């Protein structure tokens, strides 16, 4: 399948994704019963994953959405990422970050550092995908749906230059 200028092929089927998310949902409900966790979803990529996951959560919980805005700083140091949209009070809350994919792990490390400053009661991550790169450096999360190789993937919220988020399955780039 051609998306922009690259070919992609099916990698993880919709049914596999949905089965795994149902499992994770159950696990989270068991782990967080009576803890009223707050899910913090990182936009844009995680929007579909979060929408499906949250519908498997039948314990008391809340959900909110944040984003990293990249902007050119005044300094010559270049691009600065700022966490925007955090409107909930997360002090003493049980936080679960919802992410689509951890690649190098830099974004997640920054997110964890940013949120730790607010002294949450606990801080865990649920990610749909984790690439080998970050596994190799020892990054581990409480909940990971699928561990994958380092190739580029799209679909199910993940994009290639904003294209492909709408696909029901996850696709992997085909090397010509
Ligand atoms: P990291 O900081 O290297 O872990 O990269 C994190 C961000 O890069 C993710 O939140 C995605 O937005 C993007 N990204 C990394 N790998 C892929 C991919 O294979 N497909 C689509 N987006 C990706
Ligand atoms: Mg992302």
């Amino acid at each position: 399948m051609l998306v922009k200028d690259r070919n992609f092929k099916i990698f993880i089927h919709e049914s596999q994704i949905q089965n795994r998310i149902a499992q994770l949902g159950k696990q989270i409900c068991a782990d967080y019963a009576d803890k009223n966790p707050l899910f913090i979803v990182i936009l844009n990529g995680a929007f579909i994953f979060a929408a499906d996951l949250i519908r498997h959560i039948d314990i008391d919980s809340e959900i909110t959405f944040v984003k990293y805005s990249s902007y050119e700083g005044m300094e010559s140091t270049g691009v600065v990422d700022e966490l925007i949209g955090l409107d909930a009070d997360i002090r003493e809350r049980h936080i679960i970050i919802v992410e689509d994919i951890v690649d190098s792990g830099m974004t997640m490390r920054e997110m964890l550092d940013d949120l730790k400053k607010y002294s949450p009661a606990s801080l865990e991550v649920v990610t749909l995908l984790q690439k080998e790169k970050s596994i190799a450096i020892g990054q581990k999360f409480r909940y990971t749906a699928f561990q994958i190789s380092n190739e580029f993937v799209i679909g199910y919220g993940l994009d290639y230059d904003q294209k492909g988020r709408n696909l029901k399955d996850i696709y992997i780039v085909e090397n010509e």
Side-chain angles (χ1 to χ4, degrees), residues 1 3 15 17 43 77 101 109 119 131 139-140 149 164:
M1 185 191 51
V3 175
S15 58
I17 300 170
L43 295 174
T77 46
I101 186 165
R109 199 167 325 122
S119 312
K131 288 193 186 174
Q139 223 172 16
K140 267 207 94 178
S149 58

Side-chain angles (χ1 to χ4, degrees), residues 133-163:
K133 227 181 286 173
S134 67
I135 299 167
I137 60 165
Q139 223 172 16
K140 267 207 94 178
F141 306 111
R142 181 93 179 250
Y143 310 101
T144 301
F146 301 100
Q147 299 191 332
I148 63 169
S149 58
N150 291 324
E151 271 99 341
F152 195 77
V153 293
I154 59 166
Y156 198 72
L158 292 141
D159 73 299
Y160 173 40
D161 281 352
Q162 303 305 326
K163 300 291 184 197

Side-chain angles (χ1 to χ4, degrees), residues 79-144:
V79 179
V80 183
D81 284 349
E82 186 198 6
L83 186 65
I84 54 172
L86 189 62
D87 53 6
D89 185 7
I90 68 172
R91 201 168 297 275
E92 301 301 316
R93 294 293 305 268
H94 292 280
I95 305 299
I96 304 173
I97 300 170
V98 184
E99 177 61 305
D100 53 354
I101 186 165
V102 177
D103 181 12
S104 70
M106 273 181 54
T107 304
M108 189 51 76
R109 199 167 325 122
E110 193 177 327
M111 179 78 182
L112 288 166
D113 287 346
D114 284 345
L115 293 187
K116 269 179 206 156
K117 292 177 195 147
Y118 297 92
S119 312
S122 67
L123 186 57
E124 298 288 352
V125 173
V126 56
T127 184
L128 175 68
L129 303 170
Q130 183 180 12
K131 288 193 186 174
E132 267 170 8
K133 227 181 286 173
S134 67
I135 299 167
I137 60 165
Q139 223 172 16
K140 267 207 94 178
F141 306 111
R142 181 93 179 250
Y143 310 101
T144 301

Side-chain angles (χ1 to χ4, degrees), residues 6-7 9 151-152 172-176:
R6 301 298 298 269
N7 268 306
K9 63 181 179 203
E151 271 99 341
F152 195 77
I172 194 162
V173 72
E174 270 191 293
N175 298 309
E176 286 105 41

